[in-house]
Amino acid sequence: MSYGNPFERQISNRNFLSPTGFKFTLQRAPKVAFFGNSANLPAISMGTAIQPTYLKDIDRPGDKVEFGDFNYRFLVDENLENYLEIYNWIRGLGYPESLKEIYDWQGGVENFLQPPNSELNLFSDATLQILTSKENPNFKITFQDMFPTELSTLNFDATSEDIQYFTADVTFKYTIYNITDMSGNKL
């Protein structure tokens, strides 16, 4: 069995991927992305099907792909503007006190009561750009229909000796992500 020229299978770019080389944009909450300092490329996994045999059960590739959560950490600004973008988004999705919260968050009852296929402003698309070692955009991960599920606490402590500025962690669910070049072609 021939696999072609072995030199064509070598890595063409010998630079390593930098953990600091990223830029995140979230259409629904642009202030969150501005002070970002940590993001992850979520896990992807696939279940297996079991093929029973009389000797040993055999694992076979499954048919459902599952994507892990997207986690993002950002520095919180003094006026809580970026924190409140996520906080209000979660409250608007969950309306913990009354239905009025989701109506207000959606921009009024008439906007909320649109047909099911219309944009209800519940989700947001997002992009995680991965930069080269020279800080140029290299490729991007696009997330579809993203929404927050958890926002971390902010612990105030008057006994702290050093000032550690607040960071908040937010966890997002989404429908799917794709890895593409900067023109949108799948890699």
Side-chain angles (χ1 to χ4, degrees):
M1 177 180 283
S2 175
Y3 290 102
N5 184 347
F7 294 109
E8 290 176 1
R9 294 192 319 255
Q10 297 293 318
I11 293 174
S12 60
N13 182 346
R14 305 267 174 157
N15 292 323
F16 297 114
L17 185 62
S18 170
T20 61
F22 71 94
K23 180 183 176 188
F24 181 63
T25 54
L26 180 61
Q27 293 173 357
R28 174 95 181 50
K31 294 176 184 176
V32 169
F34 186 75
F35 286 128
N37 58 11
S38 174
N40 71 316
L41 177 56
I44 182 172
S45 63
M46 181 177 61
T48 58
I50 305 297
Q51 178 184 345
T53 68
Y54 67 94
L55 296 175
K56 176 190 177 303
D57 290 346
I58 301 170
D59 289 325
R60 295 292 182 199
D63 59 352
K64 287 188 180 179
V65 173
E66 294 192 20
F67 297 94
D69 294 341
F70 177 75
N71 300 304
Y72 188 69
R73 179 176 296 139
F74 60 95
L75 288 162
V76 179
D77 68 280
E78 191 172 56
N79 294 332
L80 292 179
E81 290 180 42
N82 54 6
Y83 188 87
L84 287 172
E85 280 185 324
I86 301 298
Y87 174 83
N88 289 330
W89 190 356
I90 291 173
R91 282 187 66 111
L93 290 172
Y95 44 89
E97 292 182 317
S98 73
L99 285 175
K100 184 178 180 327
E101 285 185 87
I102 195 165
Y103 297 146
D104 290 345
W105 186 71
Q106 289 297 336
V109 175
E110 62 281 349
N111 188 24
F112 180 69
L113 298 176
Q114 293 178 3
N117 293 334
S118 66
E119 287 295 320
L120 291 178
N121 203 19
L122 301 176
F123 309 104
S124 178
D125 290 344
T127 303
L128 180 65
Q129 285 185 6
I130 307 301
L131 309 177
T132 65
S133 57
K134 295 182 181 182
E135 300 294 319
N136 295 320
N138 193 16
F139 60 92
K140 61 185 177 178
I141 296 102
T142 53
F143 297 89
Q144 296 176 6
D145 299 332
M146 185 174 266
F147 64 95
T149 60
E150 184 176 348
L151 181 61
S152 66
T153 60
L154 298 178
N155 294 316
F156 292 89
D157 184 0
T159 63
S160 292
E161 294 180 14
D162 293 332
I163 294 178
Q164 294 289 326
Y165 294 106
F166 280 120
T167 59
D169 293 308
V170 60
T171 302
F172 292 96
K173 298 283 188 186
Y174 51 91
T175 305
I176 193 169
Y177 74 80
N178 291 300
I179 302 173
T180 64
D181 63 17
M182 295 310 293
S183 299
N185 302 312
K186 288 187 179 182
L187 296 179

